[in-house]
């Protein structure tokens, strides 16, 4: 099973590194991580781009949706995803290292 994680963001520069570290430390790594910029005017996109270079195995993509609601940004990410399982996550969450794996197990049932 291939997994895409979709994360809409708006001005998350204070929490985006935590989000990236949580995704990096998962027991099951997503095949693609799609961040969708909902019109940020801070350094969030720059931090994500730096992480994409530093951790190429995360397969990070940034989409720019403009001023959209989080749900519209998620929908854009879903349309652009290439995998058969899509999981949505908010930025700034301190998720456990087995979060993605537990979602995949629940999907297989």
């Amino acid at each position: 099973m291939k997994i895409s994680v979709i994360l809409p963001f708006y001005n998350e520069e204070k929490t985006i590194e935590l989000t990236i570290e949580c995704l990096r430390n998962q027991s099951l790594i997503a095949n693609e991580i799609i961040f969708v910029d909902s019109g940020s005017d801070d350094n969030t996109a720059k931090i994500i781009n730096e992480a994409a270079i530093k951790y190429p195995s995360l397969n990070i993509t940034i989409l720019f949706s403009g001023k959209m609601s989080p749900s519209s940004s998620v929908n854009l990410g879903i349309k652009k995803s290439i995998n058969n399982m899509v999981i949505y996550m908010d930025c700034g969450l301190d998720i456990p290292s087995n979060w993605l794996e537990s979602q995949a197990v629940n999907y297989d049932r």
Side-chain angles (χ1 to χ4, degrees):
M1 171 186 337
K2 293 192 174 193
I3 301 171
S4 299
V5 177
I6 312 295
L7 300 102
F9 69 90
Y10 178 78
N11 291 345
E12 296 284 346
E13 72 181 349
K14 293 180 180 173
T15 62
I16 199 66
E17 288 176 347
L18 170 66
T19 301
I20 293 166
E21 282 304 303
C22 285
L23 290 167
R24 210 170 73 76
N25 293 319
Q26 289 297 298
S27 56
L28 176 66
I29 301 298
N31 300 91
E32 73 174 342
I33 300 172
I34 302 173
F35 288 93
V36 185
D37 187 345
S38 299
S40 289
D41 57 11
D42 68 356
N43 290 316
T44 308
K46 179 182 178 212
I47 295 167
I48 295 169
N49 280 323
E50 290 169 355
I53 293 166
K54 187 173 182 180
Y55 309 114
S57 63
L58 291 180
N59 197 19
I60 293 173
T61 301
I62 298 181
L63 302 175
F64 297 94
S65 65
K67 295 279 185 185
M68 291 180 117
S69 68
S71 58
S72 296
S73 294
V74 169
N75 288 337
L76 176 63
I78 290 169
K79 287 178 187 173
K80 298 293 184 175
S81 67
I82 59 171
N83 294 312
N84 61 346
M85 182 175 184
V86 178
I87 297 176
Y88 157 76
M89 177 183 152
D90 281 326
C91 292
L93 300 177
D94 188 5
I95 59 172
S97 62
N98 68 338
W99 174 78
L100 194 54
E101 186 175 5
S102 70
Q103 300 306 305
V105 167
N106 289 333
Y107 179 78
D108 281 340
R109 289 185 181 173

